[in-house]
PDB file of all heavy atoms in Angstrom:
ATOM      1  N   MET A   1       0.843  -1.189   0.000  1.00  0.00           N
ATOM      2  CA  MET A   1       0.000   0.000   0.000  1.00  0.00           C
ATOM      3  C   MET A   1       0.878   1.238   0.000  1.00  0.00           C
ATOM      4  O   MET A   1       1.865   1.294   0.730  1.00  0.00           O
ATOM      5  CB  MET A   1      -0.886  -0.004   1.262  1.00  0.00           C
ATOM      6  CG  MET A   1      -2.083   0.900   1.141  1.00  0.00           C
ATOM      7  SD  MET A   1      -2.902   1.139   2.750  1.00  0.00           S
ATOM      8  CE  MET A   1      -1.967   2.526   3.371  1.00  0.00           C
ATOM      9  N   LYS A   2       0.501   2.196  -0.835  1.00  0.00           N
ATOM     10  CA  LYS A   2       1.309   3.417  -0.938  1.00  0.00           C
ATOM     11  C   LYS A   2       0.689   4.512  -0.068  1.00  0.00           C
ATOM     12  O   LYS A   2      -0.502   4.802  -0.171  1.00  0.00           O
ATOM     13  CB  LYS A   2       1.339   3.841  -2.403  1.00  0.00           C
ATOM     14  CG  LYS A   2       2.401   4.854  -2.754  1.00  0.00           C
ATOM     15  CD  LYS A   2       2.616   4.848  -4.270  1.00  0.00           C
ATOM     16  CE  LYS A   2       3.057   6.189  -4.791  1.00  0.00           C
ATOM     17  NZ  LYS A   2       3.147   6.185  -6.269  1.00  0.00           N
ATOM     18  N   VAL A   3       1.522   5.099   0.793  1.00  0.00           N
ATOM     19  CA  VAL A   3       1.088   6.255   1.579  1.00  0.00           C
ATOM     20  C   VAL A   3       1.911   7.457   1.155  1.00  0.00           C
ATOM     21  O   VAL A   3       3.067   7.325   0.741  1.00  0.00           O
ATOM     22  CB  VAL A   3       1.253   6.014   3.102  1.00  0.00           C
ATOM     23  CG1 VAL A   3       0.320   4.916   3.583  1.00  0.00           C
ATOM     24  CG2 VAL A   3       2.691   5.702   3.469  1.00  0.00           C
ATOM     25  N   ALA A   4       1.295   8.636   1.268  1.00  0.00           N
ATOM     26  CA  ALA A   4       1.955   9.850   0.773  1.00  0.00           C
ATOM     27  C   ALA A   4       1.786  10.993   1.765  1.00  0.00           C
ATOM     28  O   ALA A   4       0.769  11.105   2.449  1.00  0.00           O
ATOM     29  CB  ALA A   4       1.366  10.248  -0.578  1.00  0.00           C
ATOM     30  N   GLY A  31      -1.829   7.590  -7.178  1.00  0.00           N
ATOM     31  CA  GLY A  31      -1.379   6.222  -6.899  1.00  0.00           C
ATOM     32  C   GLY A  31      -1.283   5.861  -5.431  1.00  0.00           C
ATOM     33  O   GLY A  31      -1.083   4.687  -5.104  1.00  0.00           O
ATOM     34  N   ALA A  32      -1.391   6.829  -4.533  1.00  0.00           N
ATOM     35  CA  ALA A  32      -1.337   6.479  -3.108  1.00  0.00           C
ATOM     36  C   ALA A  32      -2.724   6.103  -2.610  1.00  0.00           C
ATOM     37  O   ALA A  32      -3.743   6.587  -3.118  1.00  0.00           O
ATOM     38  CB  ALA A  32      -0.775   7.633  -2.291  1.00  0.00           C
ATOM     39  N   ALA A  33      -2.759   5.264  -1.587  1.00  0.00           N
ATOM     40  CA  ALA A  33      -4.027   4.883  -0.953  1.00  0.00           C
ATOM     41  C   ALA A  33      -4.389   5.855   0.157  1.00  0.00           C
ATOM     42  O   ALA A  33      -5.558   6.030   0.477  1.00  0.00           O
ATOM     43  CB  ALA A  33      -3.931   3.462  -0.408  1.00  0.00           C
ATOM     44  N   VAL A  34      -3.373   6.456   0.762  1.00  0.00           N
ATOM     45  CA  VAL A  34      -3.585   7.436   1.832  1.00  0.00           C
ATOM     46  C   VAL A  34      -2.699   8.647   1.565  1.00  0.00           C
ATOM     47  O   VAL A  34      -1.488   8.501   1.363  1.00  0.00           O
ATOM     48  CB  VAL A  34      -3.246   6.848   3.221  1.00  0.00           C
ATOM     49  CG1 VAL A  34      -3.397   7.920   4.308  1.00  0.00           C
ATOM     50  CG2 VAL A  34      -4.122   5.638   3.543  1.00  0.00           C
ATOM     51  N   TYR A  35      -3.310   9.823   1.562  1.00  0.00           N
ATOM     52  CA  TYR A  35      -2.562  11.082   1.459  1.00  0.00           C
ATOM     53  C   TYR A  35      -2.747  11.871   2.755  1.00  0.00           C
ATOM     54  O   TYR A  35      -3.885  12.089   3.191  1.00  0.00           O
ATOM     55  CB  TYR A  35      -3.098  11.956   0.320  1.00  0.00           C
ATOM     56  CG  TYR A  35      -2.833  11.449  -1.066  1.00  0.00           C
ATOM     57  CD1 TYR A  35      -3.716  10.558  -1.677  1.00  0.00           C
ATOM     58  CD2 TYR A  35      -1.706  11.863  -1.778  1.00  0.00           C
ATOM     59  CE1 TYR A  35      -3.491  10.089  -2.961  1.00  0.00           C
ATOM     60  CE2 TYR A  35      -1.466  11.396  -3.063  1.00  0.00           C
ATOM     61  CZ  TYR A  35      -2.360  10.517  -3.654  1.00  0.00           C
ATOM     62  OH  TYR A  35      -2.124  10.059  -4.921  1.00  0.00           O
ATOM     63  N   VAL A  36      -1.650  12.312   3.339  1.00  0.00           N
ATOM     64  CA  VAL A  36      -1.723  13.177   4.508  1.00  0.00           C
ATOM     65  C   VAL A  36      -1.321  14.588   4.069  1.00  0.00           C
ATOM     66  O   VAL A  36      -0.289  14.761   3.403  1.00  0.00           O
ATOM     67  CB  VAL A  36      -0.811  12.683   5.645  1.00  0.00           C
ATOM     68  CG1 VAL A  36      -0.950  13.571   6.881  1.00  0.00           C
ATOM     69  CG2 VAL A  36      -1.134  11.227   5.988  1.00  0.00           C
ATOM     70  N   ASP A  77      -9.704   7.158  -5.623  1.00  0.00           N
ATOM     71  CA  ASP A  77      -9.974   6.021  -4.739  1.00  0.00           C
ATOM     72  C   ASP A  77      -8.948   5.987  -3.603  1.00  0.00           C
ATOM     73  O   ASP A  77      -8.245   4.988  -3.388  1.00  0.00           O
ATOM     74  CB  ASP A  77      -9.949   4.705  -5.519  1.00  0.00           C
ATOM     75  CG  ASP A  77     -10.517   3.561  -4.679  1.00  0.00           C
ATOM     76  OD1 ASP A  77     -11.291   3.839  -3.733  1.00  0.00           O
ATOM     77  OD2 ASP A  77     -10.162   2.401  -4.950  1.00  0.00           O
ATOM     78  N   ALA A  78      -8.849   7.099  -2.914  1.00  0.00           N
ATOM     79  CA  ALA A  78      -7.845   7.257  -1.858  1.00  0.00           C
ATOM     80  C   ALA A  78      -8.498   7.832  -0.612  1.00  0.00           C
ATOM     81  O   ALA A  78      -9.644   8.300  -0.645  1.00  0.00           O
ATOM     82  CB  ALA A  78      -6.737   8.187  -2.329  1.00  0.00           C
ATOM     83  N   VAL A  79      -7.751   7.776   0.488  1.00  0.00           N
ATOM     84  CA  VAL A  79      -8.180   8.363   1.751  1.00  0.00           C
ATOM     85  C   VAL A  79      -7.316   9.596   2.016  1.00  0.00           C
ATOM     86  O   VAL A  79      -6.102   9.581   1.751  1.00  0.00           O
ATOM     87  CB  VAL A  79      -8.036   7.345   2.902  1.00  0.00           C
ATOM     88  CG1 VAL A  79      -8.383   7.981   4.250  1.00  0.00           C
ATOM     89  CG2 VAL A  79      -8.925   6.130   2.634  1.00  0.00           C
ATOM     90  N   PHE A  80      -7.939  10.654   2.524  1.00  0.00           N
ATOM     91  CA  PHE A  80      -7.210  11.880   2.854  1.00  0.00           C
ATOM     92  C   PHE A  80      -7.294  12.172   4.347  1.00  0.00           C
ATOM     93  O   PHE A  80      -8.355  12.020   4.958  1.00  0.00           O
ATOM     94  CB  PHE A  80      -7.772  13.062   2.049  1.00  0.00           C
ATOM     95  CG  PHE A  80      -7.419  12.972   0.608  1.00  0.00           C
ATOM     96  CD1 PHE A  80      -8.162  12.172  -0.256  1.00  0.00           C
ATOM     97  CD2 PHE A  80      -6.299  13.622   0.115  1.00  0.00           C
ATOM     98  CE1 PHE A  80      -7.814  12.040  -1.590  1.00  0.00           C
ATOM     99  CE2 PHE A  80      -5.930  13.498  -1.219  1.00  0.00           C
ATOM    100  CZ  PHE A  80      -6.695  12.697  -2.074  1.00  0.00           C
ATOM    101  N   VAL A  81      -6.163  12.582   4.900  1.00  0.00           N
ATOM    102  CA  VAL A  81      -6.115  13.066   6.277  1.00  0.00           C
ATOM    103  C   VAL A  81      -5.520  14.465   6.182  1.00  0.00           C
ATOM    104  O   VAL A  81      -4.383  14.627   5.734  1.00  0.00           O
ATOM    105  CB  VAL A  81      -5.238  12.170   7.170  1.00  0.00           C
ATOM    106  CG1 VAL A  81      -5.229  12.695   8.608  1.00  0.00           C
ATOM    107  CG2 VAL A  81      -5.704  10.718   7.110  1.00  0.00           C
ATOM    108  N   PHE A 131      -9.340   5.642  13.025  1.00  0.00           N
ATOM    109  CA  PHE A 131     -10.363   5.501  11.987  1.00  0.00           C
ATOM    110  C   PHE A 131      -9.980   4.328  11.089  1.00  0.00           C
ATOM    111  O   PHE A 131      -8.914   4.343  10.485  1.00  0.00           O
ATOM    112  CB  PHE A 131     -10.456   6.796  11.172  1.00  0.00           C
ATOM    113  CG  PHE A 131     -10.729   8.011  12.030  1.00  0.00           C
ATOM    114  CD1 PHE A 131      -9.687   8.845  12.444  1.00  0.00           C
ATOM    115  CD2 PHE A 131     -12.016   8.307  12.457  1.00  0.00           C
ATOM    116  CE1 PHE A 131      -9.939   9.960  13.248  1.00  0.00           C
ATOM    117  CE2 PHE A 131     -12.280   9.415  13.264  1.00  0.00           C
ATOM    118  CZ  PHE A 131     -11.233  10.247  13.660  1.00  0.00           C
ATOM    119  N   GLU A 132     -10.845   3.348  11.010  1.00  0.00           N
ATOM    120  CA  GLU A 132     -10.558   2.205  10.139  1.00  0.00           C
ATOM    121  C   GLU A 132     -11.208   2.447   8.781  1.00  0.00           C
ATOM    122  O   GLU A 132     -12.427   2.641   8.677  1.00  0.00           O
ATOM    123  CB  GLU A 132     -11.066   0.901  10.762  1.00  0.00           C
ATOM    124  CG  GLU A 132     -10.727  -0.304   9.905  1.00  0.00           C
ATOM    125  CD  GLU A 132     -10.629  -1.608  10.678  1.00  0.00           C
ATOM    126  OE1 GLU A 132     -10.655  -1.586  11.936  1.00  0.00           O
ATOM    127  OE2 GLU A 132     -10.515  -2.660  10.010  1.00  0.00           O
ATOM    128  N   VAL A 133     -10.376   2.465   7.753  1.00  0.00           N
ATOM    129  CA  VAL A 133     -10.858   2.706   6.388  1.00  0.00           C
ATOM    130  C   VAL A 133     -10.216   1.662   5.481  1.00  0.00           C
ATOM    131  O   VAL A 133      -8.984   1.584   5.407  1.00  0.00           O
ATOM    132  CB  VAL A 133     -10.469   4.109   5.874  1.00  0.00           C
ATOM    133  CG1 VAL A 133     -11.249   4.433   4.597  1.00  0.00           C
ATOM    134  CG2 VAL A 133     -10.709   5.188   6.924  1.00  0.00           C
ATOM    135  N   GLY A 134     -11.047   0.878   4.830  1.00  0.00           N
ATOM    136  CA  GLY A 134     -10.516  -0.128   3.902  1.00  0.00           C
ATOM    137  C   GLY A 134      -9.565  -1.086   4.598  1.00  0.00           C
ATOM    138  O   GLY A 134      -8.552  -1.493   4.017  1.00  0.00           O
ATOM    139  N   GLY A 135      -9.843  -1.425   5.850  1.00  0.00           N
ATOM    140  CA  GLY A 135      -9.012  -2.392   6.564  1.00  0.00           C
ATOM    141  C   GLY A 135      -7.751  -1.816   7.180  1.00  0.00           C
ATOM    142  O   GLY A 135      -6.993  -2.522   7.838  1.00  0.00           O
ATOM    143  N   VAL A 136      -7.501  -0.519   6.969  1.00  0.00           N
ATOM    144  CA  VAL A 136      -6.309   0.128   7.536  1.00  0.00           C
ATOM    145  C   VAL A 136      -6.752   1.058   8.658  1.00  0.00           C
ATOM    146  O   VAL A 136      -7.754   1.762   8.537  1.00  0.00           O
ATOM    147  CB  VAL A 136      -5.555   0.925   6.449  1.00  0.00           C
ATOM    148  CG1 VAL A 136      -4.344   1.632   7.051  1.00  0.00           C
ATOM    149  CG2 VAL A 136      -5.140  -0.003   5.326  1.00  0.00           C
ATOM    150  N   ARG A 137      -6.001   1.030   9.740  1.00  0.00           N
ATOM    151  CA  ARG A 137      -6.364   1.815  10.916  1.00  0.00           C
ATOM    152  C   ARG A 137      -5.479   3.056  11.007  1.00  0.00           C
ATOM    153  O   ARG A 137      -4.273   2.952  11.221  1.00  0.00           O
ATOM    154  CB  ARG A 137      -6.218   0.962  12.170  1.00  0.00           C
ATOM    155  CG  ARG A 137      -7.109  -0.285  12.133  1.00  0.00           C
ATOM    156  CD  ARG A 137      -6.843  -1.186  13.318  1.00  0.00           C
ATOM    157  NE  ARG A 137      -7.565  -2.447  13.194  1.00  0.00           N
ATOM    158  CZ  ARG A 137      -7.210  -3.562  13.825  1.00  0.00           C
ATOM    159  NH1 ARG A 137      -6.148  -3.588  14.614  1.00  0.00           N
ATOM    160  NH2 ARG A 137      -7.911  -4.669  13.664  1.00  0.00           N
ATOM    161  N   LEU A 138      -6.123   4.195  10.860  1.00  0.00           N
ATOM    162  CA  LEU A 138      -5.397   5.458  10.843  1.00  0.00           C
ATOM    163  C   LEU A 138      -5.589   6.188  12.170  1.00  0.00           C
ATOM    164  O   LEU A 138      -6.719   6.467  12.586  1.00  0.00           O
ATOM    165  CB  LEU A 138      -5.934   6.340   9.702  1.00  0.00           C
ATOM    166  CG  LEU A 138      -5.910   5.710   8.304  1.00  0.00           C
ATOM    167  CD1 LEU A 138      -6.597   6.646   7.309  1.00  0.00           C
ATOM    168  CD2 LEU A 138      -4.476   5.419   7.877  1.00  0.00           C
ATOM    169  N   ASP A 161      -2.458   1.579  12.864  1.00  0.00           N
ATOM    170  CA  ASP A 161      -1.355   1.033  12.074  1.00  0.00           C
ATOM    171  C   ASP A 161      -0.412   2.157  11.633  1.00  0.00           C
ATOM    172  O   ASP A 161       0.794   1.976  11.540  1.00  0.00           O
ATOM    173  CB  ASP A 161      -1.885   0.352  10.804  1.00  0.00           C
ATOM    174  CG  ASP A 161      -2.862  -0.771  11.099  1.00  0.00           C
ATOM    175  OD1 ASP A 161      -2.622  -1.531  12.058  1.00  0.00           O
ATOM    176  OD2 ASP A 161      -3.868  -0.868  10.364  1.00  0.00           O
ATOM    177  N   ILE A 162      -1.020   3.292  11.315  1.00  0.00           N
ATOM    178  CA  ILE A 162      -0.270   4.433  10.786  1.00  0.00           C
ATOM    179  C   ILE A 162      -0.635   5.664  11.598  1.00  0.00           C
ATOM    180  O   ILE A 162      -1.819   5.949  11.801  1.00  0.00           O
ATOM    181  CB  ILE A 162      -0.647   4.707   9.310  1.00  0.00           C
ATOM    182  CG1 ILE A 162      -0.500   3.450   8.456  1.00  0.00           C
ATOM    183  CG2 ILE A 162       0.194   5.856   8.741  1.00  0.00           C
ATOM    184  CD1 ILE A 162      -1.055   3.603   7.033  1.00  0.00           C
ATOM    185  N   LEU A 163       0.372   6.395  12.086  1.00  0.00           N
ATOM    186  CA  LEU A 163       0.115   7.688  12.696  1.00  0.00           C
ATOM    187  C   LEU A 163       0.188   8.741  11.593  1.00  0.00           C
ATOM    188  O   LEU A 163       1.255   8.970  11.010  1.00  0.00           O
ATOM    189  CB  LEU A 163       1.146   8.004  13.779  1.00  0.00           C
ATOM    190  CG  LEU A 163       1.209   7.050  14.972  1.00  0.00           C
ATOM    191  CD1 LEU A 163       2.221   7.565  16.006  1.00  0.00           C
ATOM    192  CD2 LEU A 163      -0.156   6.864  15.623  1.00  0.00           C
ATOM    193  N   CYS A 164      -0.957   9.346  11.308  1.00  0.00           N
ATOM    194  CA  CYS A 164      -1.025  10.396  10.294  1.00  0.00           C
ATOM    195  C   CYS A 164      -0.870  11.732  11.016  1.00  0.00           C
ATOM    196  O   CYS A 164      -1.632  12.025  11.935  1.00  0.00           O
ATOM    197  CB  CYS A 164      -2.359  10.326   9.567  1.00  0.00           C
ATOM    198  SG  CYS A 164      -2.631   8.731   8.774  1.00  0.00           S
ATOM    199  N   PHE A 188       3.709   2.792  11.722  1.00  0.00           N
ATOM    200  CA  PHE A 188       4.210   3.670  10.669  1.00  0.00           C
ATOM    201  C   PHE A 188       3.831   5.106  11.014  1.00  0.00           C
ATOM    202  O   PHE A 188       2.816   5.337  11.682  1.00  0.00           O
ATOM    203  CB  PHE A 188       3.585   3.281   9.319  1.00  0.00           C
ATOM    204  CG  PHE A 188       3.931   1.882   8.888  1.00  0.00           C
ATOM    205  CD1 PHE A 188       3.063   0.822   9.135  1.00  0.00           C
ATOM    206  CD2 PHE A 188       5.124   1.627   8.235  1.00  0.00           C
ATOM    207  CE1 PHE A 188       3.384  -0.476   8.753  1.00  0.00           C
ATOM    208  CE2 PHE A 188       5.461   0.331   7.841  1.00  0.00           C
ATOM    209  CZ  PHE A 188       4.582  -0.719   8.101  1.00  0.00           C
ATOM    210  N   VAL A 190       3.452   9.123   9.233  1.00  0.00           N
ATOM    211  CA  VAL A 190       3.484   9.995   8.056  1.00  0.00           C
ATOM    212  C   VAL A 190       3.292  11.434   8.541  1.00  0.00           C
ATOM    213  O   VAL A 190       2.189  11.812   8.960  1.00  0.00           O
ATOM    214  CB  VAL A 190       2.370   9.649   7.053  1.00  0.00           C
ATOM    215  CG1 VAL A 190       2.460  10.570   5.825  1.00  0.00           C
ATOM    216  CG2 VAL A 190       2.436   8.180   6.636  1.00  0.00           C
ATOM    217  N   ILE A 213       8.168  10.012   6.147  1.00  0.00           N
ATOM    218  CA  ILE A 213       7.456   8.751   6.355  1.00  0.00           C
ATOM    219  C   ILE A 213       8.426   7.763   6.984  1.00  0.00           C
ATOM    220  O   ILE A 213       9.538   7.603   6.488  1.00  0.00           O
ATOM    221  CB  ILE A 213       6.909   8.195   5.021  1.00  0.00           C
ATOM    222  CG1 ILE A 213       5.997   9.234   4.345  1.00  0.00           C
ATOM    223  CG2 ILE A 213       6.157   6.871   5.253  1.00  0.00           C
ATOM    224  CD1 ILE A 213       5.544   8.830   2.938  1.00  0.00           C
ATOM    225  N   THR A 214       8.016   7.149   8.102  1.00  0.00           N
ATOM    226  CA  THR A 214       8.922   6.207   8.768  1.00  0.00           C
ATOM    227  C   THR A 214       8.344   4.809   8.798  1.00  0.00           C
ATOM    228  O   THR A 214       7.133   4.599   8.799  1.00  0.00           O
ATOM    229  CB  THR A 214       9.238   6.625  10.221  1.00  0.00           C
ATOM    230  OG1 THR A 214       8.057   6.493  11.017  1.00  0.00           O
ATOM    231  CG2 THR A 214       9.748   8.051  10.292  1.00  0.00           C
ATOM    232  N   ASP A 215       9.272   3.872   8.877  1.00  0.00           N
ATOM    233  CA  ASP A 215       8.966   2.446   8.985  1.00  0.00           C
ATOM    234  C   ASP A 215       8.752   2.074  10.459  1.00  0.00           C
ATOM    235  O   ASP A 215       8.958   2.899  11.353  1.00  0.00           O
ATOM    236  CB  ASP A 215      10.142   1.659   8.397  1.00  0.00           C
ATOM    237  CG  ASP A 215       9.724   0.295   7.863  1.00  0.00           C
ATOM    238  OD1 ASP A 215       8.629  -0.187   8.208  1.00  0.00           O
ATOM    239  OD2 ASP A 215      10.516  -0.287   7.100  1.00  0.00           O
ATOM    240  N   LEU A 221      11.605   6.161   5.490  1.00  0.00           N
ATOM    241  CA  LEU A 221      11.276   5.600   4.178  1.00  0.00           C
ATOM    242  C   LEU A 221      11.249   6.671   3.107  1.00  0.00           C
ATOM    243  O   LEU A 221      11.511   6.401   1.932  1.00  0.00           O
ATOM    244  CB  LEU A 221       9.910   4.905   4.235  1.00  0.00           C
ATOM    245  CG  LEU A 221       9.855   3.666   5.115  1.00  0.00           C
ATOM    246  CD1 LEU A 221       8.414   3.184   5.272  1.00  0.00           C
ATOM    247  CD2 LEU A 221      10.740   2.559   4.546  1.00  0.00           C
ATOM    248  N   ILE A 232       5.821  13.143  -1.167  1.00  0.00           N
ATOM    249  CA  ILE A 232       6.694  11.991  -0.939  1.00  0.00           C
ATOM    250  C   ILE A 232       5.819  10.787  -0.642  1.00  0.00           C
ATOM    251  O   ILE A 232       4.692  10.917  -0.170  1.00  0.00           O
ATOM    252  CB  ILE A 232       7.685  12.224   0.225  1.00  0.00           C
ATOM    253  CG1 ILE A 232       6.945  12.526   1.526  1.00  0.00           C
ATOM    254  CG2 ILE A 232       8.649  13.351  -0.125  1.00  0.00           C
ATOM    255  CD1 ILE A 232       7.822  12.523   2.763  1.00  0.00           C
ATOM    256  N   HIS A 233       6.344   9.619  -0.947  1.00  0.00           N
ATOM    257  CA  HIS A 233       5.519   8.430  -0.708  1.00  0.00           C
ATOM    258  C   HIS A 233       6.381   7.219  -0.393  1.00  0.00           C
ATOM    259  O   HIS A 233       7.600   7.226  -0.620  1.00  0.00           O
ATOM    260  CB  HIS A 233       4.613   8.159  -1.904  1.00  0.00           C
ATOM    261  CG  HIS A 233       5.354   8.095  -3.196  1.00  0.00           C
ATOM    262  ND1 HIS A 233       6.023   6.992  -3.598  1.00  0.00           N
ATOM    263  CD2 HIS A 233       5.550   9.043  -4.149  1.00  0.00           C
ATOM    264  CE1 HIS A 233       6.586   7.234  -4.775  1.00  0.00           C
ATOM    265  NE2 HIS A 233       6.332   8.475  -5.124  1.00  0.00           N
ATOM    266  N   ALA A 234       5.739   6.198   0.134  1.00  0.00           N
ATOM    267  CA  ALA A 234       6.428   4.946   0.474  1.00  0.00           C
ATOM    268  C   ALA A 234       5.434   3.807   0.393  1.00  0.00           C
ATOM    269  O   ALA A 234       4.233   3.996   0.594  1.00  0.00           O
ATOM    270  CB  ALA A 234       7.010   5.033   1.878  1.00  0.00           C
ATOM    271  N   ASP A 235       5.950   2.636   0.075  1.00  0.00           N
ATOM    272  CA  ASP A 235       5.130   1.423   0.058  1.00  0.00           C
ATOM    273  C   ASP A 235       5.261   0.718   1.396  1.00  0.00           C
ATOM    274  O   ASP A 235       6.371   0.390   1.819  1.00  0.00           O
ATOM    275  CB  ASP A 235       5.586   0.486  -1.065  1.00  0.00           C
ATOM    276  CG  ASP A 235       5.067   0.940  -2.409  1.00  0.00           C
ATOM    277  OD1 ASP A 235       3.839   1.078  -2.536  1.00  0.00           O
ATOM    278  OD2 ASP A 235       5.892   1.203  -3.302  1.00  0.00           O
ATOM    279  N   ILE A 236       4.139   0.489   2.029  1.00  0.00           N
ATOM    280  CA  ILE A 236       4.168  -0.170   3.335  1.00  0.00           C
ATOM    281  C   ILE A 236       3.101  -1.256   3.396  1.00  0.00           C
ATOM    282  O   ILE A 236       2.187  -1.290   2.565  1.00  0.00           O
ATOM    283  CB  ILE A 236       3.923   0.832   4.494  1.00  0.00           C
ATOM    284  CG1 ILE A 236       2.504   1.425   4.407  1.00  0.00           C
ATOM    285  CG2 ILE A 236       4.970   1.949   4.486  1.00  0.00           C
ATOM    286  CD1 ILE A 236       2.093   2.231   5.625  1.00  0.00           C
ATOM    287  N   GLU A 237       3.248  -2.134   4.381  1.00  0.00           N
ATOM    288  CA  GLU A 237       2.230  -3.154   4.659  1.00  0.00           C
ATOM    289  C   GLU A 237       1.640  -2.803   6.028  1.00  0.00           C
ATOM    290  O   GLU A 237       2.168  -3.201   7.069  1.00  0.00           O
ATOM    291  CB  GLU A 237       2.875  -4.539   4.666  1.00  0.00           C
ATOM    292  CG  GLU A 237       1.920  -5.666   5.021  1.00  0.00           C
ATOM    293  CD  GLU A 237       0.594  -5.550   4.307  1.00  0.00           C
ATOM    294  OE1 GLU A 237       0.557  -5.733   3.073  1.00  0.00           O
ATOM    295  OE2 GLU A 237      -0.421  -5.229   4.985  1.00  0.00           O
ATOM    296  N   PRO A 238       0.551  -2.028   6.040  1.00  0.00           N
ATOM    297  CA  PRO A 238       0.084  -1.462   7.305  1.00  0.00           C
ATOM    298  C   PRO A 238      -0.172  -2.480   8.403  1.00  0.00           C
ATOM    299  O   PRO A 238       0.105  -2.220   9.575  1.00  0.00           O
ATOM    300  CB  PRO A 238      -1.221  -0.756   6.912  1.00  0.00           C
ATOM    301  CG  PRO A 238      -1.134  -0.543   5.460  1.00  0.00           C
ATOM    302  CD  PRO A 238      -0.297  -1.642   4.909  1.00  0.00           C
ATOM    303  N   THR A 239      -0.681  -3.657   8.045  1.00  0.00           N
ATOM    304  CA  THR A 239      -1.031  -4.623   9.093  1.00  0.00           C
ATOM    305  C   THR A 239       0.199  -5.195   9.783  1.00  0.00           C
ATOM    306  O   THR A 239       0.071  -5.806  10.853  1.00  0.00           O
ATOM    307  CB  THR A 239      -1.897  -5.763   8.530  1.00  0.00           C
ATOM    308  OG1 THR A 239      -1.187  -6.374   7.456  1.00  0.00           O
ATOM    309  CG2 THR A 239      -3.230  -5.235   8.049  1.00  0.00           C
ATOM    310  N   ALA A 240       1.390  -4.987   9.202  1.00  0.00           N
ATOM    311  CA  ALA A 240       2.618  -5.412   9.904  1.00  0.00           C
ATOM    312  C   ALA A 240       2.742  -4.708  11.245  1.00  0.00           C
ATOM    313  O   ALA A 240       3.409  -5.204  12.162  1.00  0.00           O
ATOM    314  CB  ALA A 240       3.848  -5.139   9.037  1.00  0.00           C
ATOM    315  N   ARG A 242       0.641  -4.547  13.426  1.00  0.00           N
ATOM    316  CA  ARG A 242      -0.155  -5.218  14.477  1.00  0.00           C
ATOM    317  C   ARG A 242       0.654  -6.245  15.259  1.00  0.00           C
ATOM    318  O   ARG A 242       0.198  -6.741  16.285  1.00  0.00           O
ATOM    319  CB  ARG A 242      -1.407  -5.835  13.849  1.00  0.00           C
ATOM    320  CG  ARG A 242      -2.273  -4.721  13.277  1.00  0.00           C
ATOM    321  CD  ARG A 242      -3.513  -5.182  12.555  1.00  0.00           C
ATOM    322  NE  ARG A 242      -4.026  -4.061  11.758  1.00  0.00           N
ATOM    323  CZ  ARG A 242      -5.074  -4.119  10.952  1.00  0.00           C
ATOM    324  NH1 ARG A 242      -5.742  -5.263  10.832  1.00  0.00           N
ATOM    325  NH2 ARG A 242      -5.456  -3.062  10.263  1.00  0.00           N
TER     326      ARG A 242
END
Side-chain angles (χ1 to χ4, degrees):
Chain A
M1 199 192 87
K2 195 162 150 185
V3 294
V34 177
Y35 290 87
V36 182
D77 192 23
V79 176
F80 289 82
V81 181
F131 304 98
E132 182 154 351
V133 193
V136 178
R137 300 174 187 158
L138 305 174
D161 302 320
I162 307 171
L163 299 184
C164 301
F188 298 96
V190 181
I213 303 173
T214 68
D215 206 343
L221 294 171
I232 59 170
H233 53 81
D235 281 304
I236 65 170
E237 177 45 69
T239 57
R242 297 177 196 177

